[in-house]
Amino acid sequence: MTVIAESVEMDRAGGAESETFRTVVLEWEETSRHRLAVNVPAGWTDDAGDLGDAVAEVSSDAFLYVERDGFTWTPTTFQPGAPSLNLEL
């Protein structure tokens, strides 16, 4: 086993854990809102064609905001290279 730092302890999963951080896998859902004026054929209705694919091809300047919710987390082996979140405890 490779020692990551002098102050390393073993977590329950058998991986190394620092004294100040542990690694978890986060999963969440995002809901975003977009708004964009577009030109469509004169006879267009919202049930014609794949609107989702067509909108994906235009500029991302339409972004208004995103909401993130439904967070779940699972402990995993400590990964020193994973991003660190600045969370207040």
Side-chain angles (χ1 to χ4, degrees):
M1 179 178 99
T2 303
V3 176
I4 296 169
E6 289 183 15
S7 58
V8 175
E9 60 187 52
M10 298 302 290
D11 67 11
R12 282 184 252 142
E17 181 175 298
S18 80
E19 289 184 2
T20 55
F21 288 100
R22 64 181 173 143
T23 305
V24 297
V25 175
L26 292 178
E27 187 171 325
W28 66 92
E29 296 177 3
E30 291 185 345
T31 303
S32 59
R33 170 119 1 228
H34 306 263
R35 181 179 299 134
L36 182 66
V38 297
N39 293 318
V40 298
W44 179 83
T45 62
D46 63 355
D47 62 350
D50 189 341
L51 191 56
D53 284 346
V55 170
E57 294 176 7
V58 296
S59 171
S60 63
D61 293 340
F63 178 79
L64 296 174
Y65 68 88
V66 64
E67 293 178 3
R68 295 175 181 93
D69 54 22
F71 282 90
T72 60
W73 61 276
T74 306
T76 190
T77 302
F78 182 66
Q79 299 173 27
S84 298
L85 299 182
N86 184 16
L87 302 172
E88 293 185 27
L89 301 179

